[in-house]
Amino acid sequence: QSQPTFGFLLDIDGVLVRGHTVIPAALKAFRRLVNAQGKLRVPVVFVTNAGNILQNDKAQELSVLLGFKVEPDQVILSHSPMKLFSQYHGKRMIVSGQGPLVENAQKQLGFKNVVTVDELRMAFPVLDMVDLQRRPKTTPLPRNDFPAIEGVLLLGEPVRWETSLQLIMDVLLSNGNPGTGLATAPYPHLPVLASNMDLLWMAEAKMPRFGHGTFLLCLETIYRKVTGKELRYKGLMGKPSILTYQYAEELIRRQAERRGWAAPIQKLYAVGDNPMSDVYGANLFNQYLQMAKHEGAEELGTSGLLKQRPSATQSCASILVCTGVYSPKALGSTEPAQGGEEPPFHGHRDFSFSPELIEASHIVNDVDEAVQLVFHKEGWA
């Protein structure tokens, strides 16, 4: 077998697993992808919009499910590219989400000074008022020794939305001093970094579940309703953000280098189940690669963060599978409904609707068919 000149970006939920159950086609796909020595025959990076877990744990979980050793640096979580936002790493940030939140923010991403929503709640008990059971029975003394918060870090959907929505709003409206009241809300507001814009995701239930994108939608809507202004992000990561794909491309390149594959990786194939994140993101990145060829990527600098070496990647094709969010007949899938009306747009506010961007290069039943298709196209059949 010659050296690979292509690699895979694989989504996890709805492509390889549903909840904690591995999809049988994923096991077949990896029997094709892994050689007799248990090593991948082509570079593979797992690109998930999940974030409420540590990278090592996700790699471990995948190793068990798929039956071969997945390395932590083959896994990109929705917030992984936040490592690049070093200008915010020293700021005191309120962090929202669940799972190993603080460990993710500090050890994996480099934020040195984080405060959780719960810590803020304890410091200012009178802020959290929705749940009658949790309201303080006596009026606590106001705190004046709590250092100002300098930014907001949204790593994934939290558990108690009403508490998080209320306290994050308090931070934004008070310019980081939620114990005080300001006559007018500051604008522009404190920096907000967020990851994972998925409105919906597919677990074991028959219908899709709310994703972090639904939480962001709530926050954006409340902010606009209360202030009359738009909530703005300094960074929005996870698929379909180009930054996530640049990050994935770099990991694919390093993987090929480590394996001693000298031929540059020219084609990426992104396999996913969600037209709005997986297909849109791969197509957006492909569009960026085509523009970069003509204009030189320097002028394009997506928010100027990844001033990469000239990339060998020529294209990124999107492959949509029918084992997750997308199903040809499902409610809100990308097929026009009866009467030809457009399906609702499930994407994030900041990624405008472009019909051509949610058109997959290929639609197949499952990830095994996706791998077969790519091997056939690349003459590896």
Side-chain angles (χ1 to χ4, degrees):
Q1 194 82 68
S2 57
Q3 300 204 343
T5 55
F6 63 99
F8 286 96
L9 309 181
L10 299 181
D11 178 45
I12 298 174
D13 290 299
V15 174
L16 306 176
V17 301
R18 289 275 294 260
H20 294 290
T21 312
V22 71
I23 294 170
L27 297 174
K28 286 191 192 150
F30 277 92
R31 285 202 279 277
R32 294 177 205 283
L33 286 166
V34 171
N35 65 17
Q37 290 75 50
K39 288 247 194 267
L40 286 166
R41 299 165 61 199
V42 300
V44 172
V45 166
F46 301 91
V47 190
T48 176
N49 271 352
N52 300 325
I53 188 168
L54 295 173
Q55 210 174 332
N56 292 15
D57 294 350
K58 196 72 185 169
Q60 182 56 38
E61 199 179 280
L62 284 172
S63 302
V64 170
L65 288 167
L66 300 173
F68 84 101
K69 177 89 176 87
V70 175
E71 299 295 339
D73 63 358
Q74 287 177 293
V75 176
I76 298 179
L77 302 172
S78 60
H79 46 62
S80 298
M82 283 193 187
K83 291 175 195 166
L84 306 166
F85 284 73
S86 52
Q87 68 272 44
Y88 300 108
H89 288 175
K91 293 195 182 301
R92 185 168 159 85
M93 306 288 279
I94 183 162
V95 57
S96 158
Q98 56 182 298
L101 251 194
V102 174
E103 203 176 337
N104 257 330
Q106 292 179 338
K107 292 205 174 77
Q108 311 257 295
L109 303 175
F111 290 89
K112 297 179 185 58
N113 191 355
V114 297
V115 181
T116 65
V117 171
D118 257 348
E119 287 169 335
L120 190 62
R121 236 191 91 229
M122 304 308 267
F124 302 101
V126 295
L127 298 182
D128 188 17
M129 279 303 189
V130 173
D131 181 347
L132 301 178
Q133 298 292 315
R134 298 221 297 187
R135 291 187 184 179
K137 303 293 175 271
T138 56
T139 307
L141 290 170
R143 288 275 297 266
N144 54 10
D145 60 339
F146 195 84
I149 290 167
E150 299 169 293
V152 179
L153 190 55
L154 307 172
L155 295 188
E157 60 279 9
V159 178
R160 301 186 62 117
W161 287 26
E162 79 286 5
T163 295
S164 293
L165 290 167
Q166 175 72 77
L167 271 63
I168 291 163
M169 281 296 295
D170 289 334
V171 166
L172 293 171
L173 297 178
S174 67
N175 210 29
N177 296 288
T180 65
L182 288 180
T184 53
Y187 200 83
H189 53 72
L190 291 173
V192 179
L193 298 175
S195 65
N196 182 355
M197 305 160 245
D198 284 353
L199 189 72
L200 304 168
W201 69 287
M202 206 67 184
E204 285 101 336
K206 292 280 183 264
M207 285 162 66
R209 305 291 81 202
F210 290 162
H212 190 219
T214 311
F215 178 80
L216 297 179
L217 179 67
C218 295
L219 184 63
E220 292 152 14
T221 309
I222 296 167
Y223 188 85
R224 188 177 63 235
K225 195 78 173 167
V226 169
T227 66
K229 300 189 170 76
E230 292 293 344
L231 182 78
R232 289 280 162 238
Y233 297 95
K234 290 291 187 192
L236 203 46
M237 270 137 280
K239 298 172 292 189
S241 150
I242 286 182
L243 199 60
T244 293
Y245 290 83
Q246 287 184 308
Y247 194 80
E249 172 191 30
E250 177 62 16
L251 292 192
I252 287 268
R253 192 188 60 75
R254 285 189 213 162
Q255 207 178 115
E257 224 167 62
R258 254 203 325 270
R259 293 290 298 275
W261 293 325
I265 303 297
Q266 291 172 340
K267 292 184 193 158
L268 295 177
Y269 293 92
V271 184
D273 68 311
N274 188 332
M276 268 323 312
S277 51
D278 301 311
V279 174
Y280 190 113
N283 290 345
L284 193 65
F285 185 53
N286 187 56
Q287 204 178 60
Y288 165 81
L289 290 170
Q290 305 321 309
M291 285 163 69
K293 270 186 219 169
H294 300 301
E295 302 171 26
E298 285 316 298
E299 293 78 81
L300 272 170
T302 50
S303 73
L305 277 165
L306 272 189
K307 280 280 176 268
Q308 285 181 306
R309 58 183 85 201
S311 141
T313 312
Q314 305 285 309
S315 64
C316 180
S318 53
I319 305 178
L320 185 60
V321 298
C322 303
T323 46
V325 167
Y326 173 81
S327 117
K329 295 167 286 296
L331 176 74
S333 77
T334 51
E335 303 294 313
Q338 287 77 26
E341 71 233 36
E342 278 300 302
F345 175 59
H346 286 175
H348 187 269
R349 179 197 74 184
D350 293 359
F351 288 75
S352 58
F353 178 67
S354 309
E356 72 279 7
L357 287 178
I358 59 169
E359 288 289 313
S361 323
H362 308 278
I363 299 181
V364 296
N365 280 314
D366 55 43
V367 66
D368 187 41
E369 277 186 29
V371 170
Q372 288 184 63
L373 173 89
V374 172
F375 277 10
H376 186 77
K377 285 175 74 74
E378 294 292 334
W380 277 48

